[in-house]
Amino acid sequence: MPRSRNSLSIGEARRVALAAQGFDRQRPDAPSDARHFRRALGAVGVLQLDFVNVLIPAHFLVMWSRLGAYDRERFERFLYRSGEFTEQWAHEASVVRAGDWPLLAHRRREFRPPRNNPINDFRNKENYLADVLRQVRQEGAVTSNDLPALAGPKSKPGDWHRSMPRRALEYHFARGKLAIARRMPNFQRVYDLPERLLDRQHRDTRVGKEGAMRELLRQAAVSLGVATLQDLADFYRMSARDAALRVRELVEQGELSEVTIEDWTDIAYLSRSARSPRQIRGASLLSPFDPVVWFRPRAERLFDFRYRIEIYVPKPKRKWGYYVLPFRVGDRLVARVDLKADRHSSVLRVQSAHPEVGIDEQEVTVALARELQLLAEWLQLDRTGVVSRDRFSRSIAKSLGAY
């Protein structure tokens, strides 16, 4: 993109944002080798982990949106055995580049358990935490089930029901004393020492807090393409106040340039690496935790798409459904679909579907039906069933009949 640009139309901004996330490329025909995984993860930047399994854990869907029918087992082996990536607290619990380990060191140093964490009130806390590390050092990787059972303080209201061994392992993970070796089939973490999992160059690199924040914000800008200060700060969960000076430094260094976006009230920042394709093709269902939509104010500004996940909303108060995914065609979000993988009956259930205003419903239903069919095949479900009987849903069902 020419560096002289100081303003973008909203359509240009959408295309820049989607290109930064890899949607300017077609899905590969055979998307299950390391090159494809590396490229998709590089575009995503931060892969937020979420294991709600109504459809499929959300981070696997993030990769599906960009790659199509990849081999999930091969992907997980690459994720945890290549040495190129590691789990960290980043946006939330996330997979990040191994090179981000030193950039997040200040977060690990500053970590303190929440006040309501029972480990704070455990009388023998320091001895117990030391014993946990000693066991990992001597015996190798562990899950919480491998540690001796231990009764902790009585849970307080609002506590998650976690065992003391699990809390101890999570504490050491957040502090950087342990890292994640892999995930079990039930998604349980397997913990090990960082020196067994990460190259020494990542473990030994030291970056000051200000320099680390600046680099994280630069990486956020690359992943977002164009973004406001709030958007950039949210990517790695910083406050806008902390991010503001570092963003100004990136502008002075030429990594970012200030631009105005049509109908946006805040100044935006364009990454030096940003691409602006003339057109974004294809269609994809998006995870609720895809970087394209995870910061809801940005999704609304970019796509005029007000999006909330309603898993935790009581059923009578839900507007769209339990597990609703945005659906993209080209550079627009054109519909939202509430999906459930009914594994017992081997059916991908479309619980409900809702079109956005002003779309070409015929074009959208054909594209959505095709995407649903491909998703069902990847999930090894025998068919797709449409539950809702409104006009839009009937059109989807009709289009599904063509496959």
Side-chain angles (χ1 to χ4, degrees):
M1 173 173 287
R3 301 299 295 156
S4 60
R5 291 295 299 271
N6 56 19
S7 65
L8 298 175
S9 70
I10 191 62
E12 288 173 317
R14 283 197 300 266
R15 294 193 293 276
V16 167
L18 289 167
Q21 280 291 306
F23 287 109
D24 59 335
R25 302 184 181 96
Q26 291 186 339
R27 287 169 171 166
D29 293 331
S32 289
D33 67 31
R35 293 172 304 154
H36 297 123
F37 298 150
R38 188 178 296 114
R39 188 175 72 181
L41 286 165
V44 171
V46 170
L47 184 65
Q48 182 179 337
L49 299 171
D50 184 86
F51 291 96
V52 172
N53 206 22
V54 176
L55 180 65
I56 187 173
H59 49 289
F60 295 125
L61 188 65
V62 170
M63 299 300 289
W64 153 265
S65 298
R66 290 152 179 81
L67 295 178
Y70 66 94
D71 185 320
R72 181 173 141 186
E73 290 184 5
R74 187 177 292 182
F75 171 67
E76 289 189 273
R77 286 197 300 272
F78 173 76
L79 210 57
Y80 291 102
R81 296 183 189 178
S82 67
E84 297 180 32
F85 298 91
T86 187
E87 286 194 26
Q88 280 284 272
W89 286 102
H91 184 76
E92 295 289 341
S94 308
V95 169
V96 298
R97 303 170 187 88
D100 289 346
W101 178 266
L103 300 179
L104 296 166
H106 64 281
R107 297 267 187 90
R108 297 192 294 273
R109 288 193 301 269
E110 295 169 0
F111 170 77
R112 299 293 181 274
R115 289 182 183 178
N116 65 347
N117 189 325
I119 204 166
N120 292 321
D121 302 322
F122 186 44
R123 192 181 312 168
N124 298 312
K125 170 185 170 183
E126 297 304 326
N127 288 338
Y128 178 61
L129 290 172
D131 287 342
V132 168
L133 277 183
R134 190 177 301 113
Q135 178 172 338
V136 179
R137 204 172 286 118
Q138 293 174 353
E139 301 179 15
V142 301
T143 69
S144 58
N145 294 334
D146 297 320
L147 300 180
L150 184 72
K154 185 177 180 181
S155 296
K156 300 174 183 177
D159 284 351
W160 287 97
H161 298 292
R162 295 183 174 118
S163 66
M164 284 301 289
R166 181 176 172 183
R167 290 183 186 278
L169 291 168
E170 290 176 347
Y171 175 89
H172 284 311
F173 169 66
R175 294 283 290 173
K177 300 294 185 182
L178 293 175
I180 307 305
R182 64 186 184 278
R183 292 276 182 160
M184 302 288 284
N186 64 356
F187 311 129
Q188 188 177 16
R189 284 168 164 166
V190 179
Y191 299 82
D192 206 345
L193 301 175
E195 51 263 40
R196 294 175 182 156
L197 303 173
L198 291 161
D199 287 348
R200 170 168 280 182
Q201 70 177 87
H202 302 313
R203 292 184 284 109
D204 290 351
T205 298
R206 299 290 180 265
V207 183
K209 181 176 179 178
E210 292 182 358
M213 292 176 64
R214 184 167 53 248
E215 175 58 17
L216 291 172
L217 287 161
R218 188 196 67 79
Q219 292 181 183
V222 171
S223 294
L224 295 174
V226 64
T228 66
L229 173 63
Q230 292 281 357
D231 301 339
L232 293 169
D234 174 76
F235 201 83
Y236 285 97
R237 291 295 202 239
M238 303 178 196
S239 72
R241 181 176 181 178
D242 288 341
L245 182 56
R246 308 285 81 85
V247 167
R248 173 53 52 192
E249 291 166 351
L250 289 169
V251 172
E252 292 170 355
Q253 293 170 7
E255 294 292 340
L256 305 180
S257 58
E258 292 186 358
V259 292
T260 58
I261 308 292
E262 177 187 2
D263 296 332
W264 288 21
T265 56
D266 292 340
I267 288 292
Y269 298 91
L270 183 69
S271 170
R272 185 172 68 175
S273 68
R275 304 186 304 278
S276 183
R278 293 182 179 180
Q279 187 175 14
I280 298 288
R281 292 184 168 85
S284 55
L285 289 159
L286 299 178
S287 158
F289 305 109
D290 194 297
V292 172
V293 295
W294 69 15
F295 190 47
R296 311 309 189 204
R298 183 171 186 261
E300 191 164 351
R301 270 185 275 112
L302 270 174
F303 300 102
D304 193 22
F305 189 86
R306 185 171 175 79
Y307 180 47
R308 301 292 183 273
I309 188 168
E310 297 180 315
I311 289 176
Y312 304 110
V313 176
K315 186 174 181 178
K317 296 184 178 181
R318 289 181 199 140
K319 182 176 182 180
W320 307 112
Y322 183 77
Y323 198 72
V324 174
L325 309 183
F327 180 56
R328 175 192 67 85
V329 173
D331 66 358
R332 302 297 302 271
L333 299 184
V334 294
R336 59 194 83 206
V337 192
D338 183 15
L339 295 179
K340 177 180 179 179
D342 183 343
R343 295 171 180 86
H344 178 74
S345 301
S346 196
V347 178
L348 175 62
R349 297 201 183 279
V350 182
Q351 308 283 66
S352 63
H354 308 273
E356 292 297 286
V357 175
I359 65 163
D360 181 333
E361 288 197 14
Q362 175 65 22
E363 177 190 11
V364 169
T365 54
V366 169
L368 179 54
R370 176 62 176 162
E371 184 76 354
L372 290 168
Q373 183 67 17
L374 292 171
L375 180 60
E377 291 173 2
W378 182 57
L379 296 177
Q380 298 182 321
L381 301 173
D382 292 338
R383 62 186 181 89
T384 302
V386 181
V387 177
S388 180
R389 301 310 301 163
D390 59 86
R391 182 172 61 84
F392 186 62
S393 297
R394 290 198 306 272
S395 296
I396 296 169
K398 182 179 178 181
S399 294
L400 280 166
Y403 294 106

